[in-house]
DNA sequence: TAAACTAATTATAACAATTATAATTTAAGA
DNA sequence: TCTTAAATTATAATTGTTATAATTAGTTTA
């Protein structure tokens, strides 16, 4: 696939070694249309890599984040989720089942500017998520 | 103080017992102009309550959240922060020192509506934070 | 291609934030 | 004051993640 090739190219350019584990983690991230946790990835690959350490998954996700290949979505108690970076988008999250769905919206530059102006902060970026109930969970609700 | 009185009244109305610990935690939350962690609160009150358990702090913060008195701000690895609920506002967070500063901005209803329309979710609320560097940290930077 | 160098992986332990458990204490109403 | 359910305490358990140190394996260089 094209995205995988480009990702491997990015690793090569930044001097990050390409190992079978990294290849497999990237491949999984790109192909899974979801937003997996480190443990999801670990479990999904344990057939192919029975000896892979969970630390390897975490280490490599951090490397991928550092070179800009993935975004880490962090939440309170729950485990972090990882998103292979394509175009800029936001997420809507189901409070019932935890599903995360992408949606596109122009960046909130105005909010960043106002925050900067009002607080004197040098603003770098922002985080925005919408919470609600997904169609599947809504239809399952008692009525 | 007025806010404390109202908060205690809310507890009474919802049938939540008012204990010295709860009184002190609420008082601390209202008076501290910051966004303390559970441990901040625990440490701040250990003079007055040498035997208070950290579980009590967590339990009561959960109770306060459930009756709508406080908001819990959750982050990835770092510990949660708690904000006594006054008016609706957003936060700008310093990536260097962790400081959290309030700022006001009209709610992002349009984003919620678009997300709902595009994904079919029943939308309840959203989360938005701006990240950057606070004036103090900016002036400390090497140049 | 082989050796050398260094980064990556593994196994394991440690950590930190939070929650569960069970015994004891206490707030609030009768 | 008595009663009772709720709250607190002390402690252990849990969970997600990171640190450590020994081993393995990419990549470079000769
Ligand atoms: Mn996404
Ligand atoms: Mn606030
Ligand atoms: Zn759902
Ligand atoms: Zn700062």
């Amino acid at each position: 696939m094209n995205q995988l090739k480009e990702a491997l190219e990015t690793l090569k350019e930044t001097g990050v070694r390409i190992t079978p584990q990294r290849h497999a983690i990237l491949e999984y991230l790109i192909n899974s249309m979801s937003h997996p946790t480190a443990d999801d990835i670990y479990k999904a690959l344990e057939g192919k890599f029975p000896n892979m350490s969970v630390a390897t998954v975490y280490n490599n996700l951090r490397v991928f984040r550092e070179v800009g290949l993935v975004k880490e979505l962090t939440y309170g108690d729950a485990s972090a989720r990882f998103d292979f970076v394509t175009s800029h988008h936001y997420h809507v999250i189901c409070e019932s089942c935890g599903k995360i769905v992408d949606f596109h919206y122009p960046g909130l530059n105005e909010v960043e500017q106002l925050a900067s102006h009002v607080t004197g902060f040098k603003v770098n970026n922002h985080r925005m998520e919408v919470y609600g109930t997904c169609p599947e969970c809504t239809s399952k609700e008692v009525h």
Side-chain angles (χ1 to χ4, degrees), chain A:
Chain A
M1 184 123 194
N2 217 348
Q3 284 187 304
L4 180 57
K5 231 186 217 165
E6 278 180 39
L8 294 173
E9 194 54 40
T10 302
L11 291 186
K12 207 180 275 179
E13 279 164 15
T14 46
V16 174
R17 289 186 183 171
I18 294 159
T19 66
Q21 292 90 339
R22 284 182 177 159
H23 192 284
I25 294 171
L26 273 178
E27 199 171 27
Y28 181 80
L29 275 169
I30 292 169
N31 291 341
S32 95
M33 293 286 82
S34 61
H35 299 80
T37 65
D39 200 59
D40 289 339
I41 299 169
Y42 176 66
K43 285 195 166 59
L45 299 180
E46 72 180 355
K48 226 185 223 168
F49 298 89
N51 295 319
M52 182 164 67
S53 171
V54 70
T56 298
V57 178
Y58 278 103
N59 286 341
N60 289 335
L61 288 170
R62 176 162 31 80
V63 169
F64 298 158
R65 173 164 51 75
E66 283 166 359
V67 302
L69 284 176
V70 310
K71 271 207 169 179
E72 186 176 356
L73 315 173
T74 64
Y75 304 99
D77 44 339
S79 40
R81 290 164 168 282
F82 296 87
D83 200 2
F84 184 78
V85 167
T86 50
S87 61
H88 174 254
H89 62 266
Y90 295 107
H91 294 115
V92 53
I93 301 174
C94 178
E95 288 171 318
S96 176
C97 70
K99 194 192 302 162
I100 300 178
V101 175
D102 296 343
F103 75 95
H104 290 264
Y105 190 83
L108 301 168
N109 290 339
E110 196 184 301
V111 186
E112 287 199 4
Q113 279 172 28
L114 180 124
S116 174
H117 181 257
V118 168
T119 65
F121 272 54
K122 198 151 61 86
V123 166
N124 296 327
N125 57 306
H126 67 269
R127 163 183 183 159
M128 202 269 296
E129 283 147 15
V130 176
Y131 291 87
T133 314
C134 75
E136 289 73 28
C137 287
T138 300
S139 70
K140 272 185 211 130
E141 270 170 16
V142 278
H143 43 246

